[in-house]
Coordinates of all heavy atoms in Angstrom, one line a residue:
W898 N 84.5 98.4 85.5 CA 85.8 98.6 86.3 C 86.6 99.9 85.7 O 87.1 99.7 84.5 CB 86.5 97.3 86.2 CG 85.8 96.2 87.0 CD1 85.3 95.1 86.4 CD2 85.7 96.1 88.3 NE1 84.8 94.4 87.4 CE2 85.0 94.8 88.6 CE3 85.9 96.9 89.5 CZ2 84.5 94.4 89.8 CZ3 85.5 96.5 90.8 CH2 84.9 95.3 90.9
T899 N 86.7 100.9 86.4 CA 87.4 102.1 86.0 C 88.8 102.2 86.7 O 88.9 101.5 87.8 CB 86.5 103.3 86.1 OG1 86.2 103.5 87.6 CG2 85.3 103.2 85.4
F903 N 90.5 101.1 91.3 CA 91.8 100.5 91.5 C 92.7 101.5 92.2 O 93.9 101.5 91.9 CB 92.4 99.9 90.3 CG 91.6 98.7 89.7 CD1 90.7 98.9 88.9 CD2 91.9 97.4 90.2 CE1 89.8 97.8 88.4 CE2 91.2 96.3 89.8 CZ 90.2 96.5 88.9
S937 N 85.2 89.5 85.7 CA 85.7 90.6 84.8 C 86.8 91.5 85.6 O 87.6 92.1 85.0 CB 84.7 91.5 84.3 OG 84.0 92.2 85.4
F938 N 86.9 91.1 87.0 CA 87.9 91.9 87.8 C 89.3 91.7 87.3 O 90.1 92.7 87.2 CB 87.7 91.6 89.3 CG 88.5 92.4 90.2 CD1 88.1 93.6 90.7 CD2 89.7 91.8 90.6 CE1 88.8 94.4 91.6 CE2 90.4 92.7 91.6 CZ 90.0 93.9 92.0
P939 N 89.7 90.4 87.1 CA 91.2 90.2 86.8 C 91.6 91.0 85.5 O 92.7 91.4 85.4 CB 91.3 88.7 86.6 CG 90.2 88.1 87.4 CD 89.1 89.2 87.3
H940 N 90.7 91.0 84.5 CA 91.1 91.7 83.3 C 91.2 93.2 83.5 O 92.2 93.8 83.0 CB 90.0 91.5 82.1 CG 90.2 92.3 80.9 ND1 91.3 91.9 80.1 CD2 89.7 93.4 80.5 CE1 91.3 92.9 79.1 NE2 90.2 93.7 79.3
A941 N 90.3 93.8 84.3 CA 90.5 95.2 84.7 C 91.7 95.4 85.6 O 92.5 96.4 85.4 CB 89.3 95.7 85.4
A942 N 92.0 94.5 86.5 CA 93.1 94.6 87.3 C 94.5 94.6 86.5 O 95.4 95.3 86.9 CB 93.2 93.5 88.4
A943 N 94.5 93.8 85.5 CA 95.7 93.7 84.6 C 95.9 95.1 84.0 O 97.0 95.5 83.6 CB 95.5 92.7 83.5
E944 N 94.8 95.8 83.7 CA 94.9 97.1 83.1 C 95.2 98.2 84.2 O 96.0 99.3 83.8 CB 93.7 97.5 82.4 CG 93.8 98.7 81.5 CD 92.5 98.8 80.6 OE1 91.8 97.9 80.5 OE2 92.3 99.9 80.0
F945 N 94.5 98.3 85.3 CA 94.6 99.5 86.1 C 95.2 99.3 87.6 O 95.5 100.2 88.2 CB 93.1 99.8 86.5 CG 92.3 100.2 85.3 CD1 91.1 99.5 85.0 CD2 92.8 101.2 84.4 CE1 90.3 99.9 83.9 CE2 91.9 101.5 83.2 CZ 90.7 100.8 83.1
C946 N 95.5 98.0 88.1 CA 96.0 97.8 89.4 C 97.4 98.3 89.5 O 98.2 98.1 88.5 CB 95.8 96.3 89.7 SG 96.4 96.0 91.4

Side-chain angles (χ1 to χ4, degrees):
W898 293 109
T899 62
F903 293 88
S937 64
F938 185 87
H940 176 70
E944 187 174 348
F945 302 124
C946 181

